[in-house]
Structures are given as structure tokens and as C-alpha cells.
């Protein structure tokens, strides 16, 4: 059996558990392509999986890594839309921290000539997650107010640009030193969550109207103020619970009175058909804009994959502005 180099961990735990070792090289199914991976994006899901808190979906590779870019080196018997040597990027259910990875042919996207492998690898998870939340779930409309928490994160920077293209009025939360990138991308109101009450600023900014949409990764600690910040018929899209899953001192009648929609969503556990349709929609919405530079991936730092421990620690410490990417070699 042919092997390849991958990033492994033998026991769940801290970043120091990660190391480069050997693993079986994946085989392509009929509708899959084998990609020689040039770069892989980091995500909080990788950290949670490393810690034993987020197992991969059934049938997915146990190797970390949900987004890749690289060159096609092999294709399945039913793949006709791609050729050996094509440069592609895309979202996968696992297996990205490796020299080779498989991806369904309809999940792969062509890398625009204007993008590097590292830039391409920083796009799939962030932009698909943001696009799903804003366009598919929240159905954000022009001139609506949207509050994006963690605005300087990978998903946050993608969400700002998608909301901007839809003509929304954008409010973000982030630490003060990260405000500059959010403003550059299109955010109009910048809130320092460490020193300011986002609820107070939202209500002041909107003349007590509230926001139409909130994209949240924080969960428990923000839930009450999120509900208070939403206007009637508002939509809260919950994508993570970084502060925990429990909300206290909350009056559920506000949901009823305001006719609110509260939607929780993860992308990794969605069906392949769902992810293919989402990828197709994102391509139609954003790929030309990405190629022209109107929409851009925001990269915080690129690490050689031998420095994966340092890369994981940077994300865990919330130091990154935009995406952290591993260069695979």
C-alpha cells in the first residue's frame, strides 16, 4: 500500500500532540479527483477535532484539514470535467493536512490565475460558511442591517464582503486592533467587544430599530444581547458556541413577540448534495469577483506545515486576522 506524509496526532490534546508522519495515500472513487496538496487552510474545527471534541463525519478521513488547494494528479473513471494538471481548490470533509487528498469533482473549483495556492486554500470553508449563513439561511436583503460577530476571523472577513456585495449595512464586533481590516472590507460600524456593549451601539446606530440579521460564533454569553439587538422578524444564525452552549437570564417570550428566526448550522455534517449545490451557488456569486480582486481572501499568516503546532496555537490565542494557511511540501 502506498503511503504519504500527513500531520497526525496519536492522542487528543494540546497542539504539541501534532507531528508529521506516514499514512495511507487515499484512493479515488469514480467521481473523485486526487489532488497533490499545495496548501491547506486552518479552521477551529481542526482544533476541536485535535482536542477530541469534534469527530469527523462517518466515512471521512481522520486526518485534519477541511480545505485544500493543489494540482490534480489522478481522476476517477467517471470524471470528465477535469484534467490531470488542473489547479483546483475546495472544501473536503477531512484529510487536508496531507500530501494528497481526494475531493468530489463537483466540490472542486478552478483556481483563478490571479490567486496563489495559499490564497485559494484560504477560501472554501470561510466563504462557503459565510455564504450559506448570509444568503441561504438569513436571506439577507439590500439595505438591511447585519451584525457580524468575530468580524476579523476567516468567516467574518468573508461575511463582511458578501454582505457588502448584497448592499447591506454592516456592523461588526472585533478587538480594536483588528478593526482596520473590517473597515477596509466594508464594515461601517466597528465595535470593540472587549470594552463596548454591542447591544447599546446597535440600538444607537439603528435608532432603536435593531439589526435584521446576526451572524454569531460566540453562543451562550451573547445570546441574550443578540435577541435584544434583533428587530422584528430578525434572523439569528448561530455557527459556533465559543463561549459555551448555555444562556442564562433569558425571556423566551421575546422570540415570540419579535417573530424571530433562530437557525443553528454546521457545514461539515451536511450532505454531499447540499455542499455541491452550495459550492455551485458560491461560484456563481463570487468566483469572478475573487478573480478580479473585488472580493479577496484575507490571510493572516502562512506557515510551513512542519510549523503546524505554532499555527494552531496562533489560532487558539485569537491572534489571527483572517485565515491561517499551511504550505504543504
Amino acid at each position: 500500500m502506498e503511503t504519504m506524509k500527513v500531520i497526525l496526532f496519536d492522542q487528543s490534546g494540546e497542539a504539541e500532540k501534532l507531528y508529521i508522519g506516514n499514512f495511507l495515500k487515499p484512493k479515488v472513487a469514480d467521481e473523485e479527483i486526487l489532488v497533490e496538496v499545495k496548501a491547506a487552510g486552518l479552521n477551529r474545527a481542526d482544533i476541536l477535532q485535535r482536542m477530541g471534541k469534534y469527530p469527523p463525519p462517518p466515512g471521512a478521513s481522520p486526518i485534519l484539514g477541511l480545505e485544500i488547494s493543489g494540482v490534480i494528479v489522478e481522476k476517477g473513471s467517471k470524471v470528465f470535467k477535469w484534467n490531470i494538471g488542473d489547479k483546483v481548490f475546495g472544501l473536503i470533509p477531512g484529510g487536508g493536512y496531507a500530501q494528497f487528498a481526494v475531493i468530489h469533482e463537483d466540490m472542486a473549483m478552478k483556481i483563478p490565475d490571479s490567486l496563489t495556492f495559499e490564497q485559494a486554500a484560504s477560501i472554501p470553508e470561510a466563504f462557503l460558511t459565510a455564504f450559506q449563513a448570509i444568503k441561504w439561511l438569513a436571506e439577507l436583503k439590500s439595505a438591511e442591517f447585519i451584525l457580524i460577530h468575530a468580524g476579523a476571523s476567516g468567516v467574518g472577513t468573508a461575511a463582511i464582503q458578501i454582505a457588502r456585495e448584497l448592499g447591506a449595512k454592516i456592523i461588526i464586533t472585533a478587538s480594536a486592533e483588528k478593526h482596520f481590516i473590517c473597515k477596509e472590507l466594508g464594515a461601517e460600524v466597528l465595535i470593540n467587544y472587549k470594552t463596548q456593549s454591542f447591544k447599546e451601539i446597535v440600538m444607537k446606530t439603528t435608532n432603536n430599530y435593531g439589526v435584521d440579521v446576526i451572524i454569531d460564533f460566540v453562543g451562550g454569553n451573547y445570546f441574550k444581547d443578540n435577541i435584544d439587538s434583533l428587530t422584528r422578524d430578525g434572523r439569528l444564525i448561530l455557527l459556533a458556541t465559543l463561549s459555551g452552549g448555555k444562556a442564562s437570564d433569558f425571556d423566551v417570550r421575546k422570540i415570540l413577540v419579535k417573530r424571530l428566526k433562530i437557525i443553528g448550522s454546521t457545514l461539515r455534517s451536511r450532505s454531499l448534495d447540499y455542499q455541491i449545490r452550495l459550492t455551485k451557488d458560491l461560484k456563481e456569486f463570487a468566483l469572478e469577483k475573487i478573480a478580479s480582486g473585488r472580493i479577496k481572501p484575507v490571510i493572516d499568516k502562512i506557515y510551513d506545515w512542519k510549523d503546524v503546532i505554532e499555527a494552531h496555537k496562533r489560532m487558539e490565542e485569537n491572534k489571527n486576522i483572517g485565515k491561517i494557511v499551511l504550505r504543504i511540501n
Side-chain angles (χ1 to χ4, degrees):
M1 300 290 285
E2 194 173 357
T3 62
M4 62 177 177
K5 296 290 185 184
V6 302
I7 292 173
L8 297 168
F9 60 99
D10 295 329
Q11 291 181 313
S12 300
E14 65 274 11
E16 282 78 9
K17 300 287 186 183
L18 299 168
Y19 67 95
I20 295 179
N22 293 309
F23 198 80
L24 289 177
K25 185 177 177 180
K27 294 183 177 180
V28 293
D30 289 345
E31 297 179 341
E32 291 179 333
I33 52 179
L34 181 67
V35 176
E36 181 181 1
V37 181
K38 300 296 185 180
L42 257 71
N43 293 285
R44 288 200 176 271
D46 303 336
I47 293 171
L48 292 173
Q49 185 175 332
R50 189 202 74 216
M51 295 172 67
K53 297 179 179 180
Y54 191 24
S61 170
I63 304 302
L64 300 178
L66 305 180
E67 52 189 346
I68 58 167
S69 67
V71 179
I72 298 175
V73 293
E74 187 181 339
K75 58 182 187 174
S77 61
K78 295 182 180 179
V79 175
F80 302 107
K81 64 179 64 175
W82 297 107
N83 297 309
I84 304 300
D86 286 347
K87 297 177 180 179
V88 296
F89 68 112
L91 186 75
I92 56 177
Y97 292 15
Q99 288 181 310
F100 298 92
V102 291
I103 182 171
H104 190 279
E105 62 170 345
D106 292 327
M107 289 296 295
M109 295 176 275
K110 183 181 184 298
I111 298 178
D113 292 337
S114 56
L115 262 58
T116 65
F117 284 118
E118 291 80 13
Q119 289 173 317
S122 73
I123 293 171
E125 194 276 342
F127 277 87
L128 285 166
T129 298
F131 185 77
Q132 174 194 227
I134 291 173
K135 195 76 165 63
W136 277 28
L137 302 179
E139 298 179 324
L140 181 70
K141 300 173 182 64
S142 178
E144 286 191 320
F145 283 100
I146 181 172
L147 170 61
I148 300 169
H149 290 302
S153 66
V155 177
T157 54
I160 291 170
Q161 295 180 83
I162 291 169
R164 181 197 71 209
E165 292 301 304
L166 292 171
K169 302 170 185 176
I170 304 165
I171 305 170
I172 65 94
T173 64
S175 53
E177 66 272 15
K178 298 180 180 181
H179 282 181
F180 74 95
I181 189 66
C182 300
K183 183 176 182 180
E184 180 183 311
L185 296 175
E188 299 166 54
V189 179
L190 313 167
I191 302 171
N192 182 355
Y193 72 91
K194 293 181 178 179
T195 61
Q196 296 175 298
S197 163
F198 71 80
K199 180 178 78 171
E200 290 179 4
I201 295 177
V202 160
M203 299 314 288
K204 182 179 180 181
T205 300
T206 63
N207 293 319
N208 290 317
Y209 172 81
V211 293
D212 301 280
V213 172
I214 297 177
I215 307 298
D216 183 39
F217 312 87
V218 181
N221 290 353
Y222 277 15
F223 191 76
K224 183 175 183 295
D225 282 353
N226 278 338
I227 297 301
D228 287 343
S229 299
L230 283 166
T231 190
R232 185 164 289 180
D233 295 313
R235 292 87 77 195
L236 169 62
I237 312 299
L238 184 63
L239 299 178
T241 56
L242 294 176
S243 71
K246 295 185 178 180
S248 58
D249 188 27
F250 171 67
D251 185 350
V252 297
R253 288 174 296 184
K254 291 180 179 179
I255 299 173
L256 184 68
V257 171
K258 288 185 172 184
R259 301 192 301 263
L260 302 180
K261 291 182 181 178
I262 301 173
I263 303 173
S265 181
T266 58
L267 183 54
R268 190 181 190 185
S269 60
R270 297 279 192 179
S271 69
L272 176 61
D273 177 67
Y274 180 99
Q275 293 188 22
I276 287 171
R277 288 187 288 111
L278 183 64
T279 299
K280 182 176 181 290
D281 264 15
L282 177 68
K283 281 195 297 185
E284 292 175 355
F285 178 84
L287 200 55
E288 285 187 9
K289 295 182 177 73
I290 291 170
S292 70
R294 179 173 176 82
I295 290 179
K296 61 181 181 180
V298 177
I299 293 182
D300 173 74
K301 198 167 183 180
I302 299 168
Y303 289 89
D304 188 284
W305 71 332
K306 72 177 185 297
D307 298 318
V308 63
I309 293 172
E310 185 181 344
H312 269 233
K313 284 184 173 180
R314 182 169 179 83
M315 179 170 281
E316 287 179 288
E317 294 166 2
N318 289 323
K319 291 181 177 178
N320 58 299
I321 298 174
K323 295 286 292 188
I324 297 172
V325 177
L326 295 177
R327 182 179 287 125
I328 311 295
N329 51 42

